[in-house]
Amino acid sequence: MTSLQEIRDVRLKKLERLKELGINPYPAISHRTHTIQEALALFPEFEMNTESLPACTEDFSNLRTVTLSGRVMSIRAQGALTFFNLFDGTGTFQALYKISKDKGSVEESFLKKFELFAEVVDIGDFVEVTGVLFRTKTGQETILVTQWMMLTKSLLPLPEKWHGLQDVDERYRKRYLDILSNPELREMFELKAQFWQRIRNFMLEHQFIEVETPTLEVTTGGAEANPFKTHHRDFDLPVFLRISVGELWQKRLMSAGFPRTFEIGRVYRNEGSSPEHVQEFTNLEFYAAYMDYTEGIRFTEEMLKYAIRETFGKMKFTSRGHEFDLDQPWKMLDYVSTVRDMTGIDVLKASEEEMKAKLEELNVQYTGENRERLTDTLWKYCRKQISGPAWLINHPKLVSPLSKAKIDNPELTERVQLILAGAEVTNGFSELNDPIDQRSRFELQKKLIEEGDEEAMMPEWEFVDMLEHGMPPTFGFGFGERFFAFLVDKPIRETQLFPLMRPLEH
């Protein structure tokens, strides 16, 4: 079996051959006239037998001449005929290099170009071809090559056509080869781009302003997560990569008078990896002044259904062993009664010892013994059994430090999360705008941090100062690419173009 180094050595010799002939193997320009997709769209409606095609320099005035560029994905040489497939990212196109059986009738220059092609071109090279379009007897759209040019000489081979890259670590390290050899993976990333674009379009169509907020913060706000920490040399102070898409900043914009804002951007959480969690990912967050809790639920359901229907063309999905139909109205689940019905524990009334005993009885591992963590762990046990779609509502205040309390029951909040396939995939609530209440909740989070809770939220006292100046009633909502990962039933790492990898040792 030929080694990669042996293959590379052979290709290096071909590279040197091109240079000896005065041919630049890496030119900066291509003379392409059409993408492959465009060439296919204008294709003439006629058949022509390859035997009746001119060999090289006869009159092509009645045929369509184009110049295409792309990567050579396959080569099939049959004597005087060389078929090869080009791929340019918009499609694949068959090319034919053909000389007359009577080589004496072929112009010497054309024959030399044909022979050079056979000598130096490998699968994986990028080439430019000029020629005329025709259909083979089997109906295959093809370009008859009259001229060709090397655009990029590859030194290493592509993965084996039918199996691609098999090792998961290698797939992620060489994502460019993984995508190139796996059309389904490429299609998934195209769907992901379309999904986010449709979310963006929906926001803009509903009078939201797209904003950009800081990714470096003095304190991390808007979520409970362990942040990445770095140092700002000019200010000589520690700063953190954000863990939310500017939640506390976008709320400041509500105070500033912007009626509706949204941001789609990257967030960073210095936590463990799992099929559902990575340290860097894309999130959407929006904030709408004067939108109440019930209106917010209706609005977000409409937004998500629109984006899913337009992107996937279907509403029924199977994910993580769950089946769900997103086309139906999404039911409501009460947080406290759902946990009580499934565990027998009332998280508002049970003691911490009773909660720990129940978790041990259910054989559920937990970290942290404060009431907030125990409540959250009991809920997480329950959610795994819920396929959805369902809106989880009426969260206890303890697990919702930024959400407004319900008027009829101050122990609960106007918070909502979409449950799909046993997990929360969105988060929204009526934003807390009472500065006194917010200050007391931050004091509680500060105490949890002092007691060693790494996921507690950092207090942001300047945010409280903003609230004292006044922020209108506001509904906020967010979700991330984890939602998309559930729709395609893939681990979130698989849905990222370039997941973080440990560097290889050299």
Side-chain angles (χ1 to χ4, degrees):
M1 184 174 179
T2 306
S3 70
L4 281 178
Q5 186 57 52
E6 289 172 326
I7 293 172
R8 186 172 184 273
D9 289 342
V10 170
R11 295 195 179 194
L12 281 170
K13 290 179 180 178
K14 295 178 180 181
L15 181 70
E16 290 305 314
R17 174 62 175 155
L18 288 167
K19 291 180 178 179
E20 288 171 4
L21 295 172
I23 298 172
N24 181 0
Y26 304 104
I29 189 170
S30 168
H31 305 92
R32 182 176 71 169
T33 60
H34 299 77
T35 66
I36 287 176
Q37 185 179 54
E38 291 168 344
L40 289 170
L42 56 77
F43 215 78
E45 293 296 331
F46 63 86
E47 286 190 4
M48 185 176 285
N49 189 327
T50 57
E51 292 296 324
S52 65
L53 279 169
C56 51
T57 57
E58 296 183 30
D59 183 18
F60 296 130
S61 59
N62 64 324
L63 301 176
R64 184 63 180 263
T65 301
V66 299
T67 298
L68 305 179
S69 298
R71 189 193 284 269
V72 178
M73 301 301 292
S74 66
I75 302 176
R76 307 180 305 282
Q78 303 171 13
L81 302 178
T82 298
F83 289 93
F84 55 100
N85 286 340
L86 290 180
F87 174 71
D88 73 346
T90 71
T92 301
F93 206 98
Q94 177 173 272
L96 169 62
Y97 216 155
K98 176 178 184 285
I99 61 172
S100 171
K101 293 179 181 178
D102 178 12
K103 291 189 177 181
S105 66
V106 180
E107 286 188 4
E108 183 178 357
S109 61
F110 186 87
L111 182 59
K112 285 184 177 180
K113 287 182 180 179
F114 178 89
E115 293 173 343
L116 182 63
F117 184 93
E119 179 185 353
V120 302
V121 174
D122 292 295
I123 294 173
D125 293 351
F126 289 83
V127 300
E128 172 187 290
V129 296
T130 298
V132 294
L133 302 179
F134 73 99
R135 291 186 189 276
T136 64
K137 293 180 69 174
T138 60
Q140 178 67 54
E141 297 91 345
T142 307
I143 180 172
L144 175 67
V145 178
T146 57
Q147 297 181 51
W148 75 275
M149 184 176 78
M150 180 69 74
L151 295 180
T152 300
K153 179 61 193 169
S154 63
L155 300 182
L156 290 173
L158 299 180
E160 198 274 327
K161 179 179 179 181
W162 301 111
H163 301 291
L165 299 175
Q166 297 299 304
D167 181 76
V168 173
D169 186 81
E170 187 178 17
R171 285 182 54 234
Y172 290 151
R173 289 188 188 282
K174 298 181 178 179
R175 200 58 145 164
Y176 51 95
L177 296 179
D178 189 23
I179 296 170
L180 184 64
S181 60
N182 188 343
E184 291 183 359
L185 184 62
R186 178 188 178 87
E187 181 182 353
M188 182 190 71
F189 285 119
E190 290 173 343
L191 283 175
K192 184 180 177 183
Q194 293 168 20
F195 178 76
W196 282 119
Q197 187 58 49
R198 280 160 180 148
I199 292 291
R200 174 176 280 106
N201 292 343
F202 190 92
M203 291 280 96
L204 295 173
E205 289 170 3
H206 287 79
Q207 290 75 54
F208 281 79
I209 299 170
E210 186 167 10
V211 298
E212 294 179 339
T213 59
T215 56
L216 287 176
E217 301 181 310
V218 177
T219 59
T220 59
E224 296 182 349
N226 193 26
F228 285 94
K229 184 178 180 179
T230 186
H231 188 80
H232 194 298
R233 294 178 64 182
D234 188 33
F235 289 180
D236 190 24
L237 83 167
V239 291
F240 304 92
L241 290 175
R242 68 182 183 182
I243 59 176
S244 73
V245 191
E247 173 167 345
L248 302 187
W249 301 105
Q250 289 200 61
K251 291 178 185 178
R252 286 173 167 88
L253 295 178
M254 298 297 100
S255 178
F258 286 95
R260 294 184 171 191
T261 65
F262 79 98
E263 182 175 3
I264 298 173
R266 303 297 273 181
V267 296
Y268 310 87
R269 299 183 180 182
N270 196 4
E271 301 173 336
S273 300
S274 76
E276 313 303 342
H277 297 89
V278 288
Q279 292 76 31
E280 177 186 1
F281 51 94
T282 298
N283 259 25
L284 158 84
E285 289 192 28
F286 77 72
Y287 295 85
Y290 314 109
M291 180 183 285
D292 67 27
Y293 176 64
T294 54
E295 182 187 355
I297 293 175
R298 290 194 301 269
F299 177 81
T300 51
E301 183 168 335
E302 180 186 356
M303 172 187 67
L304 293 172
K305 284 182 173 179
Y306 164 80
I308 293 166
R309 186 178 292 108
E310 292 297 311
T311 302
F312 293 93
K314 65 176 184 177
M315 298 299 281
K316 292 183 179 180
F317 295 83
T318 299
S319 183
R320 278 66 170 169
H322 296 262
E323 294 183 359
F324 47 89
D325 183 357
L326 294 164
D327 207 27
Q328 61 182 323
W330 300 349
K331 63 182 179 180
M332 300 287 183
L333 289 179
D334 178 80
Y335 188 112
V336 176
S337 60
T338 298
V339 175
R340 184 177 60 240
D341 293 345
M342 298 179 76
T343 69
I345 293 291
D346 186 325
V347 295
L348 297 180
K349 299 178 181 179
S351 68
E352 293 175 15
E353 292 304 317
E354 288 173 324
M355 297 166 81
K356 286 188 281 188
K358 174 57 67 173
L359 288 170
E360 291 167 3
E361 175 189 329
L362 296 171
N363 198 29
V364 175
Q365 294 184 345
Y366 58 93
T367 57
E369 298 187 357
N370 60 60
R371 190 174 192 86
E372 179 180 2
R373 289 288 155 256
L374 294 171
T375 299
D376 187 53
T377 305
L378 280 166
W379 158 247
K380 287 177 179 176
Y381 164 80
C382 299
R383 75 180 184 190
K384 294 178 181 178
Q385 306 169 56
I386 302 171
S387 295
W391 289 116
L392 180 68
I393 58 174
N394 299 332
H395 297 60
K397 182 189 292 187
L398 189 64
V399 297
S400 305
L402 291 172
S403 180
K404 184 172 288 190
K406 294 179 68 69
I407 295 176
D408 57 349
N409 188 346
E411 289 187 281
L412 305 178
T413 60
E414 292 189 352
R415 183 181 181 185
V416 59
Q417 292 178 294
L418 176 62
I419 309 302
L420 278 185
E424 308 105 337
V425 292
T426 71
N427 193 25
F429 35 75
S430 294
E431 302 294 342
L432 180 62
N433 61 349
D434 179 342
I436 297 174
D437 190 358
Q438 182 66 80
R439 185 179 293 277
S440 67
R441 295 198 205 184
F442 275 163
E443 292 286 1
L444 175 58
Q445 294 297 309
K446 179 183 177 183
K447 182 179 179 182
L448 292 174
I449 292 174
E450 291 170 349
E451 293 173 352
D453 188 341
E454 294 184 352
E455 293 188 2
M457 186 179 299
M458 292 184 187
E460 225 277 45
W461 305 116
E462 290 187 19
F463 175 73
V464 178
D465 185 58
M466 179 277 291
L467 291 180
E468 292 194 349
H469 284 89
M471 184 185 88
T474 298
F475 179 78
F477 187 83
F479 72 92
E481 60 184 280
R482 184 164 166 264
F483 184 91
F484 178 84
F486 272 71
L487 295 176
V488 295
D489 196 19
K490 301 285 186 183
I492 187 171
R493 193 171 173 83
E494 182 70 12
T495 67
Q496 295 198 321
L497 282 169
F498 299 103
L500 182 67
M501 304 291 293
R502 294 181 185 273
L504 289 173
E505 295 183 4
H506 292 283

